[in-house]
Amino acid sequence: MNPAITISEFFGTVPKRTTELFPGVIMAVIVAMTAQFLADHYEAPAMLMALLLGIAVAFLGDEGKTVDGISFAARTVLRIGIAFLGVRISFDLMAGLGLGVVLLVIAGVLATIGFGLMISRLFGHGWRFAFLTAGSVAICGASAAMAISAILPKDDKSEQRLIFTVLGVTVLSTVAMIAYPILVTRLGLDETAGGIFLGATIHDVAQVVGAGFSVSENAGDTATLVKLMRVSMLAPVVLVAAILIRSFADSPEDGKRPPLLPFFVVGFLVLATLNSLGLIPDAIADLMSQASRWMLLVAIAAVGMKTNLKRVLAVGGPAIALLVTETIFIAGLILAGIYYLA
């Protein structure tokens, strides 16, 4: 094979591929920017707005020139965004929480996932949906749901499960952002304990920040730190799950197994390590963190644009009950742990 021809052919395909992807990607970006505008001006969750707006123009993901770009945004842009989340993690900050709190947060994540897998049959659902919902509740809401979905064997209900889970955890996070600070006050928790509870139980980062700082500055700082620790659990949980799924799960319908080590998990771990070692300048870390947020927003808009709303709504009441039960479980577990540590 002539190397010159190979290189020429490769670079010759780049403009063509870019042309194919551009219409769909730019539509996902426009939806994401619109969602952020609504979030900024009407105090609505940006992820939820992106998802709903994407669903409203779902016809763009069915046919036409936008299909390839939307699929690219929903898959590749999503995974890069998850990898970039690693710059938010610093091991030094985690150590400042104290061993008891660290162990409580880890136990909360693992126990919630185990609980979801254990009870899912009672609600008429299998392990895939159980892991997807429990992992999103336990770790970091919509971001975790998208990361976990990326390693699950695909079938005809994969996107339906993902959309339902993202929508569900986002709505529950918004409810918790309003209700949990009131609960913290009613229970008489101090600022630190209240921050731990909020950070360890609310699903999405933005809602954790909103709830924490609505109590006090100290509670907000503590809640954010605890939440970032839960985010740091994303990579090891996804990595272990990918290995187990590859080893023990039945082959997916398309015959393709998830990769043993997903690239976005490797990227997440590398960036978290570099950031912990102080090798990433603050300005670059902040830029990558913002880029991650926008990539995830674009990706969830694209996922919405690929959604058949009737199929999502067909998931039904038992799925809602499972998600709510998992949410109540982690709240009760963390609250019991806080009282025990006190």
Side-chain angles (χ1 to χ4, degrees):
M1 181 180 292
N2 187 337
I5 294 176
T6 303
I7 294 172
S8 174
E9 289 176 345
F10 171 76
F11 283 105
T13 62
V14 172
K16 180 181 178 181
R17 185 61 177 158
T18 301
T19 302
E20 292 173 347
L21 296 179
F22 181 79
V25 172
I26 198 64
M27 287 306 303
V29 170
I30 291 171
V31 171
M33 292 176 66
T34 304
Q36 188 60 55
F37 175 85
L38 293 174
D40 291 340
H41 289 79
Y42 298 100
E43 298 183 356
M47 281 282 192
L48 180 59
M49 290 295 99
L51 180 58
L52 294 178
L53 289 173
I55 291 173
V57 292
F59 63 90
L60 293 173
D62 288 335
E63 58 183 353
K65 295 182 179 180
T66 56
V67 173
D68 287 345
I70 289 171
S71 296
F72 176 83
R75 181 178 176 86
T76 304
V77 174
L78 162 66
R79 296 182 178 198
I80 296 172
I82 293 169
F84 277 21
L85 279 175
V87 299
R88 299 186 183 185
I89 307 304
S90 169
F91 301 145
D92 289 339
L93 291 175
M94 302 307 164
L97 289 172
L99 181 60
V101 175
V102 170
L103 292 177
L104 176 61
V105 172
I106 293 174
V109 169
L110 298 180
T112 302
I113 293 173
F115 176 76
L117 292 170
M118 183 176 64
I119 69 166
S120 62
R121 292 293 180 184
L122 299 176
F123 295 88
H125 288 282
W127 69 270
R128 297 184 197 187
F129 187 69
F131 181 42
L132 184 64
T133 56
S136 62
V137 167
I139 303 173
C140 54
S143 300
M146 292 188 286
I148 291 169
S149 177
I151 65 164
L152 290 175
K154 304 300 180 190
D155 62 17
D156 60 347
K157 295 183 178 180
S158 294
E159 290 185 3
Q160 174 185 343
R161 295 190 195 100
L162 175 59
I163 287 293
F164 174 84
T165 304
V166 170
L167 184 61
V169 295
T170 304
V171 171
L172 286 174
S173 286
T174 304
V175 172
M177 180 178 66
I178 299 169
Y180 282 10
I182 299 172
L183 181 62
V184 164
T185 303
R186 291 290 180 87
L187 293 174
L189 298 178
D190 62 29
E191 292 182 351
T192 300
I196 293 170
F197 174 75
L198 296 173
T201 57
I202 298 177
H203 310 325
D204 287 315
V205 176
Q207 281 83 342
V208 167
V209 173
F213 283 100
S214 71
V215 175
S216 71
E217 185 172 346
N218 181 48
D221 290 339
T222 303
T224 303
L225 183 54
V226 171
K227 181 59 185 177
L228 289 178
M229 184 182 172
R230 286 170 69 195
V231 173
S232 73
M233 293 286 291
L234 179 63
V237 167
V238 170
L239 176 58
V240 172
I243 294 172
L244 292 175
I245 290 168
R246 187 179 177 86
S247 301
F248 299 108
D250 294 334
S251 297
E253 294 179 358
D254 59 7
K256 297 179 181 179
R257 289 188 176 274
L260 182 60
L261 194 61
F263 82 85
F264 64 89
V265 175
V266 176
F268 183 103
L269 292 172
V270 169
L271 289 173
T273 301
L274 292 175
N275 191 49
S276 298
L277 295 174
L279 299 178
I280 301 179
D282 291 342
I284 294 178
D286 183 64
L287 181 63
M288 293 181 72
S289 178
Q290 292 297 320
S292 170
R293 189 178 68 81
W294 275 103
M295 286 180 187
L296 293 177
L297 199 61
V298 169
I300 197 60
V303 169
M305 294 162 77
K306 295 180 65 180
T307 298
N308 184 320
L309 188 57
K310 290 183 179 179
R311 293 179 62 190
V312 173
L313 296 177
V315 174
I320 297 172
L322 175 61
L323 199 58
V324 171
T325 301
E326 291 163 345
T327 299
I328 294 172
F329 174 83
I330 193 172
L333 180 65
I334 295 299
L335 191 59
I338 289 173
Y339 280 120
Y340 176 79
L341 292 175

